[in-house]
């Protein structure tokens, strides 16, 4: 007997009667070289961080490999998570790289800053807490989320913080990490 995996959502495609196997095979054969070229271009491209105002470009920093995640700006620093999971800290006024810290392999979500720390996710199931410093970032904590079959849970979004807890979504649902004994109370 075969065992079927159950997913929270399933997409069933109802193909029209006119779509036959030859047409489908032709479409697959046609898309393979296109996908290969796009993959090569995106893997070899270097990304640029640029700040632009009404008067024009202020500065540009090339070669960081950023492009998916939005940067986070705090107290004169720009924190950007690179496509390859590298956290970069730059000077807000000059764009000069100050330090970088490897957090994994695939960065897609913007860093969240709160309580003097950066909260980050990495696509291969990692959730990080980093203390940014003037010359380096210090990883304070890292958790790996896994699926029931043992593989990592894919995380594509940023962290939201409230009530001393981290909230984020992964491929299988919404997560809340934190201490269970802390009440959900609004403080003023």
């Amino acid at each position: 007997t075969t065992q079927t995996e159950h997913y929270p959502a399933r997409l069933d495609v109802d193909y029209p009667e006119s779509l036959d196997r030859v047409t489908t095979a032709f479409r697959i054969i046609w898309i393979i070289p296109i996908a290969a070229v796009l993959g090569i271009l995106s893997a070899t491209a270097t990304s640029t961080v640029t700040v632009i105002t009404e008067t024009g470009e202020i500065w540009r920093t090339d070669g960081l490999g950023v492009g998916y995640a939005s940067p986070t700006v705090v107290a004169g620093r720009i924190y950007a998570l690179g496509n390859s999971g590298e956290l970069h800290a730059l000077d807000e006024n000059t764009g000069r790289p100050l330090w970088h810290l490897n957090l994994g392999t695939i960065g897609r979500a913007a860093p969240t800053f709160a309580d003097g720390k950066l909260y980050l996710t990495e696509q291969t199931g990692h959730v990080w807490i980093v203390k940014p410093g003037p010359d380096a970032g210090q990883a304070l904590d890292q958790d790996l989320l896994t699926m029931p079959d043992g593989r990592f849970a894919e995380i594509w979004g940023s962290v939201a913080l409230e009530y001393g807890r981290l909230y984020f979504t992964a491929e299988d649902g919404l997560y809340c990490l934190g201490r269970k004994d802390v009440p959900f109370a609004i403080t003023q």
Side-chain angles (χ1 to χ4, degrees), residues 15 19-29:
Y15 290 102
L19 187 63
D20 59 8
R21 291 179 188 211
V22 174
T23 306
T24 302
F26 177 73
R27 288 180 179 175
I28 290 171
I29 291 169

Side-chain angles (χ1 to χ4, degrees), residues 22-160:
V22 174
T23 306
T24 302
F26 177 73
R27 288 180 179 175
I28 290 171
I29 291 169
W30 181 251
I31 196 65
I32 289 172
I34 294 171
V37 169
L38 290 176
I40 290 168
L41 290 175
S42 66
T44 58
T46 57
S47 300
T48 301
V49 173
T50 306
V51 174
I52 300 175
T53 66
E54 303 90 30
T55 59
E57 183 177 298
I58 294 176
W59 55 260
R60 176 186 302 254
T61 302
D62 295 320
L64 296 179
V66 297
Y68 289 103
S70 296
T72 299
V73 181
V74 178
R77 299 285 167 88
I78 296 177
Y79 300 102
L81 185 60
N83 302 342
S84 61
E86 195 85 10
L87 175 63
H88 300 276
L90 296 94
D91 181 276
E92 180 184 10
N93 294 319
T94 65
R96 182 177 61 89
L98 303 171
W99 54 262
H100 65 274
L101 177 66
N102 188 317
L103 300 180
T105 56
I106 305 173
R108 296 290 186 264
T112 302
F113 185 86
D115 299 325
K117 296 179 273 300
L118 292 165
Y119 298 84
L120 304 107
T121 61
E122 193 262 339
Q123 190 264 329
T124 59
H126 293 94
V127 179
W128 291 85
I129 301 175
V130 174
K131 176 82 172 162
D135 301 317
Q138 177 188 4
L140 300 177
D141 189 39
Q142 181 262 128
D143 290 301
L144 173 64
L145 287 118
T146 57
M147 299 295 291
D149 62 5
R151 66 179 175 80
F152 61 81
E154 292 188 21
I155 304 172
W156 294 88
S158 298
V159 171

